[in-house]
Amino acid sequence: MIQKADKAIIDAPSDGQIYNAKALNDFFQKLEKNEDQKSQKINIVHIGDSHIQGDLMTNEIRKKLQQKFGNAGRGLVFPYQLAKTNGSYNERFKSNRTWESYRNIHPVKNCPIGLSGIGLWRDSGGFVMEMNVKDLAYKFNTIKIITPQNQDMFDLAISSKINSIQTTEPKVITHKIKKGEVLGTIADKYNVSITEIKRDNHLKSNNIRAGRTLKIATKETRQKTISMSEFVPLAVKSDSYSHYYNSENALSRIFLIPNNEAKDFELNGIVLEKDAPGIIYSGIGVNGAKYSDYNKYPLFFEQLKSLHPDLLVFSLGTNESYDHLDPEKYIRELKEFISNIRAQKIDAPIIVMTPPPSLLRRKPNTYVDDYAKQILNIAQKENLAVWDLYEEFGGMSGIRQLKVQGLIGPDWVHYSKRGYEKQGDLFTQAFLRSYDNFKSKK
């Protein structure tokens, strides 16, 4: 039986805060400065598993923080549709060619798996990749293309030009067969052969029937204009992390086309920014991912620098629990993940979200309960801020009530759209409350 206190925890707005929030003081100071001066972009990067890939929780956080601190852009996006998996509702990708893909959850292979945790590539050109931004709040001025070793593989275009070629073609006449006519007399009339008439009309014999029509390609010619569409490449620039284009006018659609000098085309991610100060909230999620999966690919950590993170948020642990990973090893993988980030001289403060409640073999998932306790135990020593999503959503005893309220899905692991949005809302409340406490103590 669910206790009333558990239901209150889930239903009521949280009055809790982020644990060990002093680890965020440097970030809060930067946030406060930007509130006053409104002069810079502040990058938050949220890394996780399937709870993050769909961008439901993160989109809620993004919207609410940008309402308060300003919208500096959508951040990292990826062509999930071309990798045949789910992704954000905010943007849509399509291509006239098929792309190969590979995910970090699979055994290590020599594939271009980097920033997005999913590699996308082709070994030949001839493609046009179209990106459309559906949420017009995320029209962008700057687009950045992330590739392995920052190779120049793609051009960008927003328009095409029509090239016209003048040529000639045979004049074709339509002839209606009259009673008594045979192919021979018709061929003589138009100075063509019977074989040509049969070929052009797909006739298997010389038998024809009155009333039907034939197409006759005569010896005469006529002028014909052939129009071909060609994309006009934009002036793409580069820095140490990406190839990018900046537009004075905000864009909602753009095309990625082959760089004619490249032979291979490998894409790790696209970053969209506005010409405005405020928050950029990038989500990185891979269905089924664990800390150990990200740890397998050094390119992920190298490319993380391209997002210039001012704050990092981690949401991993559910898939470790389904592997029955013991809590000590889970913490070791978390520490290795942080160590790999710090090795790239990324010194951004970190918030670790505890994994949300779930069922394991139809019973409360005790692994995530243990992970949550261990994360809280190491927080101060490792200088980590922690938001206890596990406790916020009722912990061990609250999961049945989550089902009653329609917050968790039929698999008892993933959450409904409303459930993820509630997670995002509760996190934002806790984040802003901790930020207000920081300002009041100053």
Side-chain angles (χ1 to χ4, degrees):
M1 182 176 178
I2 306 299
Q3 299 176 1
K4 291 182 180 179
D6 297 325
K7 187 175 188 302
I9 287 171
I10 298 167
D11 280 342
S14 171
D15 58 359
Q17 295 181 33
I18 291 175
Y19 176 71
N20 196 37
K22 64 183 180 182
L24 306 178
N25 281 355
D26 289 346
F27 176 76
F28 284 157
Q29 191 170 353
K30 182 178 291 188
L31 199 59
E32 184 180 29
K33 181 179 179 182
N34 200 54
E35 264 201 293
D36 294 335
Q37 299 180 1
K38 300 190 185 306
S39 60
Q40 61 181 326
K41 299 181 190 299
I42 295 180
N43 291 280
I44 303 175
V45 181
H46 197 146
I47 305 165
D49 48 29
S50 56
H51 298 308
I52 304 304
Q53 181 175 319
D55 192 43
L56 294 172
M57 179 212 304
T58 42
N59 191 55
E60 187 72 9
I61 300 169
R62 181 184 301 116
K63 290 284 189 182
K64 283 184 162 53
L65 290 183
Q66 288 178 340
Q67 284 172 7
K68 180 172 178 61
F69 300 108
N71 177 359
R74 171 66 177 83
L76 179 69
V77 300
F78 187 77
Y80 292 104
Q81 293 89 359
L82 304 187
K84 298 179 174 60
T85 186
N86 65 299
S88 171
Y89 292 97
N90 286 336
E91 52 282 328
R92 283 290 179 267
F93 289 84
K94 59 184 178 181
S95 178
N96 62 337
R97 296 287 186 269
T98 301
W99 292 75
E100 294 185 71
S101 64
Y102 199 75
R103 307 179 196 185
N104 63 8
I105 63 172
H106 300 310
V108 174
K109 284 178 66 175
N110 186 26
C111 297
I113 299 177
L115 184 59
S116 297
I118 306 175
L120 199 69
W121 72 91
R122 283 180 55 81
D123 58 8
S124 61
F127 63 85
V128 177
M129 184 191 298
E130 180 180 348
M131 183 191 72
N132 284 281
V133 174
K134 298 297 184 182
D135 187 340
L136 297 184
Y138 295 112
K139 281 187 172 184
F140 57 93
N141 297 96
T142 300
I143 176 170
K144 301 178 179 180
I145 304 172
I146 312 298
T147 60
Q149 291 75 54
N150 198 20
Q151 297 175 73
D152 191 3
M153 296 177 167
F154 299 90
D155 281 331
L156 293 165
I158 55 176
S159 63
S160 59
K161 64 179 180 180
I162 304 298
N163 292 330
S164 298
I165 302 174
Q166 294 295 325
T167 185
T168 59
E169 66 177 4
K171 184 178 179 180
V172 177
I173 294 174
T174 299
H175 176 88
K176 188 172 183 179
I177 303 170
K178 298 176 184 177
K179 188 174 181 180
E181 280 188 317
V182 295
L183 281 181
T185 59
I186 296 172
D188 290 342
K189 178 177 179 180
Y190 295 107
N191 193 27
V192 297
S193 68
I194 293 174
T195 301
E196 289 172 323
I197 295 178
K198 289 172 68 176
R199 181 196 63 205
D200 294 341
N201 292 275
H202 308 291
L203 299 177
K204 295 181 179 179
S205 70
N206 289 355
N207 296 327
I208 56 176
R209 190 171 60 196
R212 299 190 65 176
T213 57
L214 297 172
K215 291 182 179 178
I216 312 295
T218 69
K219 304 300 183 185
E220 298 179 48
T221 60
R222 65 175 183 179
Q223 292 290 318
K224 181 181 180 181
T225 301
I226 299 176
S227 296
M228 300 176 62
S229 178
E230 178 185 355
F231 284 95
V232 182
L234 298 167
V236 175
K237 300 178 181 179
S238 66
D239 56 25
S240 301
Y241 306 103
S242 67
H243 286 77
Y244 66 93
Y245 171 75
N246 180 262
S247 168
E248 289 186 5
N249 300 317
L251 305 173
S252 62
R253 183 175 72 159
I254 202 162
F255 301 92
L256 276 72
I257 56 178
N259 181 324
N260 290 332
E261 296 181 3
K263 295 181 180 178
D264 298 308
F265 307 92
E266 302 173 344
L267 184 64
N268 296 118
I270 295 168
V271 182
L272 306 178
E273 297 182 2
K274 301 166 78 75
D275 284 349
I279 296 286
I280 298 175
Y281 201 101
S282 295
I284 301 171
V286 181
N287 295 341
K290 306 182 288 289
Y291 282 115
S292 58
D293 294 315
Y294 287 100
N295 286 333
K296 289 185 297 192
Y297 287 96
L299 184 61
F300 169 79
F301 300 99
E302 293 170 19
Q303 293 183 335
L304 187 58
K305 292 184 292 186
S306 68
L307 298 181
H308 309 287
D310 298 298
L311 174 67
L312 293 164
V313 185
F314 303 160
S315 291
L316 289 151
T318 297
N319 296 301
E320 284 90 343
S321 74
Y322 273 75
D323 280 354
H324 303 280
L325 188 70
D326 67 73
E328 290 75 19
K329 190 166 185 183
Y330 170 81
I331 294 298
R332 286 200 297 272
E333 294 286 359
L334 166 59
K335 288 181 178 179
E336 181 182 344
F337 186 69
I338 295 171
S339 177
N340 288 332
I341 290 173
R342 298 306 188 212
Q344 296 295 328
K345 302 190 184 321
I346 300 172
D347 297 322
I350 294 168
I351 300 174
V352 180
M353 280 191 188
T354 60
S358 60
L359 288 190
L360 181 60
R361 293 181 178 175
R362 300 183 180 181
K363 295 180 180 178
N365 189 339
T366 58
Y367 283 92
V368 294
D369 181 72
D370 290 337
Y371 297 165
K373 291 173 183 174
Q374 289 293 327
I375 291 167
L376 289 164
N377 285 341
I378 68 165
Q380 293 197 31
K381 182 180 178 182
E382 300 296 328
N383 197 32
L384 304 174
V386 179
W387 184 61
D388 197 354
L389 170 57
Y390 182 74
E391 184 63 29
E392 289 284 343
F393 259 44
M396 287 276 285
S397 59
I399 191 164
R400 301 289 175 184
Q401 192 61 36
L402 294 170
K403 186 71 171 179
V404 170
Q405 296 180 356
L407 298 178
I408 197 166
D411 63 358
W412 296 90
V413 177
H414 297 93
Y415 284 75
S416 65
K417 182 175 184 289
R418 191 159 64 90
Y420 282 123
E421 288 174 348
K422 187 168 185 65
Q423 291 177 14
D425 180 57
L426 290 174
F427 172 76
T428 308
Q429 288 184 46
F431 178 86
L432 294 177
R433 195 171 292 111
S434 297
Y435 174 58
D436 288 340
N437 278 354
F438 163 81
K439 291 194 294 183
S440 65
K441 287 178 181 176
K442 282 187 64 180

